């Protein structure tokens, strides 16, 4: 089975193409946490030289998705349980502030955009499309955080999400988890429509905790 999906149209540059394919392979779990990235094989498979591949790997390293090990090459980043818990704890703190500020600025148009994003989450879930669900889920959350009108805060949150992309497919791969995500998003939307930040924060805290608990049970201790 091919490691990466080459069936999609290429973006404008070879580096962007490679970057997108590698990110997709990591997000969907085709390249699992801890897996080596075999540059020669990937370059041949994708029909590119080593140059755009190296540049894409450097970008992913900066995002925390891959790491470089001397004399061994690049690997998909592998988090320890402590790392995972720390990332989610920092997210909890930052996202609570983002939600509180977002609710203060939410318009009906914003809520319509969030509702549209949620419909995409549900469509992807019904199709069991892990990649599309991960993308739609991120759009849903980031759309909310951007309503806080604090771009630095939103960028910090996005970088924390990047660090756990490789684990998202593990969570979304289970049908029960996908259904739970939908229910929790719907509850959060109800709280946002009511302009109730405390309720929205509580729901999203539980939403986040469910992911952590599931991943803790699947990761090596």
């Amino acid at each position: 089975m091919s490691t990466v999906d080459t069936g999609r149209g290429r973006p404008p540059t070879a580096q962007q193409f490679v970057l997108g394919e590698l990110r997709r392979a990591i997000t969907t779990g085709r390249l699992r946490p801890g897996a080596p990235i075999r540059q020669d094989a990937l370059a041949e498979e994708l029909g590119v030289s080593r140059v755009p591949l190296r540049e894409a790997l450097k970008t992913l390293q900066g995002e925390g998705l891959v790491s470089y090990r001397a004399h061994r090459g690049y690997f998909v980043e592998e988090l320890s349980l402590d790392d995972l818990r720390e990332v989610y704890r920092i997210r909890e703190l930052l996202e609570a502030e983002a939600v509180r500020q977002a609710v203060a600025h939410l318009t009906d148009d914003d809520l319509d955009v969030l509702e549209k994003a949620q419909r995409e989450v549900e469509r992807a879930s019904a199709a069991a499309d892990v990649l599309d669900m991960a993308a739609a889920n991120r759009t849903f959350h980031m759309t909310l955080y951007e309503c806080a009108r604090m771009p630095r805060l939103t960028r910090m949150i996005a970088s924390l999400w990047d660090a756990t992309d490789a684990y998202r497919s593990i969570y979304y791969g289970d049908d029960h988890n996908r259904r739970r995500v939908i229910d929790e998003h719907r509850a959060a939307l109800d709280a946002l429509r009511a302009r109730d930040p405390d309720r929205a924060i509580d729901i999203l805290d539980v939403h986040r905790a469910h992911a952590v608990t599931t991943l803790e049970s699947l990761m090596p201790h």
Side-chain angles (χ1 to χ4, degrees), residues 79 93 99 104 197 200:
L79 298 181
L93 297 170
V99 170

Side-chain angles (χ1 to χ4, degrees), residues 69-212:
R69 302 176 191 175
H71 310 300
R72 298 184 63 195
Y74 285 94
F75 291 76
V76 180
E77 187 62 89
E78 190 170 24
L79 298 181
S80 68
L81 275 175
D82 285 343
D83 290 333
L84 184 79
R85 289 166 180 152
E86 181 180 4
V87 168
Y88 273 84
R89 174 59 178 151
I90 298 170
R91 275 186 53 192
E92 179 184 346
L93 297 170
L94 297 183
E95 291 174 16
E97 179 62 18
V99 170
R100 199 170 298 283
Q101 294 300 322
V103 170
H105 296 102
L106 272 180
T107 66
D108 289 342
D109 285 345
D110 292 330
L111 288 166
D112 288 344
V113 173
L114 284 165
E115 179 68 37
K116 181 179 178 181
Q118 175 57 17
R119 288 197 296 271
E120 279 300 300
V121 173
E122 294 177 15
R123 181 199 60 76
S125 175
D129 189 324
V130 171
L131 176 62
D132 279 359
M133 186 167 179
N137 177 72
R138 182 165 180 146
T139 297
F140 174 85
H141 285 273
M142 292 303 162
T143 298
L144 172 58
Y145 303 146
E146 285 166 3
C147 291
R149 302 181 186 177
M150 299 176 71
R152 286 183 176 83
L153 177 61
T154 304
R155 286 196 298 270
M156 291 171 69
I157 293 170
S159 71
L160 292 167
W161 278 61
D162 290 341
T164 55
D165 263 350
Y167 291 85
R168 208 147 283 128
S169 63
I170 299 173
Y171 189 65
Y172 291 146
D174 182 89
D175 183 59
H176 171 72
N177 292 336
R178 292 196 300 272
R179 290 197 304 270
R180 185 162 60 187
V181 165
I182 289 169
D183 290 343
E184 290 164 351
H185 280 194
R186 282 287 165 195
L189 275 170
D190 288 343
L192 294 169
R193 288 192 194 96
R195 305 307 200 272
D196 187 340
D198 291 332
R199 178 63 179 152
I201 289 167
D202 286 346
I203 291 166
L204 292 174
D205 282 349
V206 171
H207 179 58
R208 203 179 300 106
H210 280 151
V212 173

